[in-house]
Amino acid sequence: MYVITGITGQVGGTVARTLLAAGKNVRAVVRDTSKGGEWLRQGCELALADMRDAAALTRAFKGAEAVFVLLPPNFDPSPDFLESRYIVSTLRSALETAQPDKVVCLSTIGAQASQSNLLSQLSGMEQQLGQLPMPVAFLRAAWFMENALWDIAPARDEGVLHSFLQPLNKAVPMVATADVGRTAAMLLQESWQGVRIVELEGPRRISPQRLAATLGRLLGRDVHARSVPRDTWEQLFRSQGMHNPLPRMQMLDGFNQGWIDFAGTAIHGTTELETVLADLIQRQA
């Protein structure tokens, strides 16, 4: 039995569909039954559990050959990352009690960075879950290509891609969520001992300028990348409702300054940027 958390999202959904296509038994962890109907129809077993409920997670993880762990995203955390620390503690307790054969966790590029930033939530996860007694793999994924969803409307309507990634000609490791999910499903079916780190990016690195040009071709209009000035970020993020924008700003600084990067040599997915953007544009139509 393969137990999948985050199954209603893009990565978790791909993990589950890949395993089902391979003939594996899948248990979908959902917060309520209304979110599980699609997965029941596809042949999954359902387990109801909130990521903050250790007892429910323990029941969900019991008897598992492998568990896929995905932290709920939190882009506006408390300064001390209290929310993610609590979930990680709950996950560790449930996994220690349930004793699945192995665990695969979705982590991030730059999880090894010492500077505090938004991705430090996943650094903390690696530190805690890396102490589990069973084999654990951390899949450190690059910047998601799907983050470009928010760029489509201004690109289509204004011909501008407002970029926080700078300078505009700097190529950044990016990856499609489909490749992340398929790689996680592959890892869940492999065997290893101890802690394993796998770093993943797409076929090639992508600059904001290339992202803008690709959007332009697909939208049939000129699109130009434009830097969002660093000294405007805090006010902008707060105007969007954020209470603590500093970790997000520090994360962007890490990509721009180069201290958020892979620790080793990353493997490469196969999904091209054009494929992801065409799908996002269709969804926005």
Side-chain angles (χ1 to χ4, degrees):
M1 179 64 70
Y2 292 80
V3 179
I4 311 300
T5 66
I7 198 168
T8 58
Q10 294 181 87
V11 173
T14 299
V15 175
R17 285 188 289 272
T18 303
L19 291 170
L20 289 168
K24 305 299 183 182
N25 294 321
V26 174
R27 182 181 298 153
V29 181
V30 295
R31 285 178 293 174
D32 57 71
T33 53
S34 67
K35 297 182 179 293
E38 171 192 352
W39 298 105
L40 275 175
R41 289 189 292 273
Q42 293 189 55
C44 292
E45 178 183 315
L46 283 191
L48 297 180
D50 186 275
M51 295 294 278
R52 298 165 183 80
D53 186 336
L57 285 174
T58 300
R59 291 191 295 270
F61 298 160
K62 276 288 187 182
E65 178 178 345
V67 173
F68 176 66
V69 168
L70 188 158
L71 288 189
N74 185 350
F75 300 105
D76 191 19
S78 300
D80 59 357
F81 302 124
L82 177 64
E83 301 89 351
S84 63
R85 289 194 294 111
Y86 184 83
I87 291 174
V88 168
S89 176
T90 302
L91 280 166
R92 179 176 176 178
S93 173
L95 290 165
E96 285 176 335
T97 303
Q99 290 288 305
D101 292 345
K102 56 195 168 189
V103 180
V104 174
C105 306
L106 179 59
S107 187
T108 179
I109 181 174
Q112 77 285 354
S114 58
Q115 298 94 321
S116 180
N117 70 96
L118 190 66
L119 303 181
S120 297
Q121 297 173 96
L122 295 169
S123 305
M125 179 195 70
E126 287 197 11
Q127 292 164 10
Q128 289 298 311
L129 300 191
Q131 300 178 46
L132 288 167
M134 69 284 296
V136 179
F138 296 110
L139 177 56
R140 292 181 177 173
W143 182 284
F144 286 175
M145 294 179 188
E146 282 79 1
N147 290 336
L149 176 66
W150 313 110
D151 298 318
I152 291 172
R156 181 189 59 228
D157 300 339
E158 307 166 30
V160 175
L161 183 148
H162 302 281
S163 181
F164 295 96
L165 294 175
Q166 302 162 16
L168 298 177
N169 63 353
K170 179 183 178 182
V172 174
M174 296 189 187
V175 68
T177 55
D179 284 338
V180 179
R182 286 190 289 264
T183 303
M186 175 191 72
L187 293 173
L188 287 164
Q189 298 174 78
E190 293 181 352
S191 298
W192 70 93
Q193 297 297 318
V195 174
R196 182 181 182 188
I197 292 174
V198 177
E199 298 181 309
L200 175 68
E201 62 177 304
R204 57 191 52 80
R205 298 191 172 190
I206 299 162
S207 69
Q209 289 176 340
R210 178 165 183 248
L211 179 58
T214 306
L215 275 173
R217 285 198 303 274
L218 293 171
L219 292 167
R221 66 161 300 167
D222 288 336
V223 177
H224 301 283
R226 181 182 299 164
S227 296
V228 180
R230 175 64 171 79
D231 60 5
T232 69
W233 290 1
E234 181 172 4
Q235 181 179 353
L236 175 61
F237 292 152
R238 289 191 184 277
S239 73
Q240 294 170 346
M242 294 190 71
H243 299 288
N244 179 34
L246 182 60
R248 183 179 178 187
M249 294 164 61
Q250 291 169 323
M251 176 193 72
L252 292 166
D253 287 339
F255 278 100
N256 294 342
Q257 296 168 11
W259 51 264
I260 289 181
D261 203 346
F262 291 120
T265 302
I267 62 174
H268 291 266
T270 59
T271 305
E272 296 284 357
L273 175 66
E274 290 80 356
T275 301
V276 172
L277 293 182
D279 180 63
L280 294 178
I281 290 169
Q282 185 176 19
R283 282 193 249 162
Q284 290 277 297

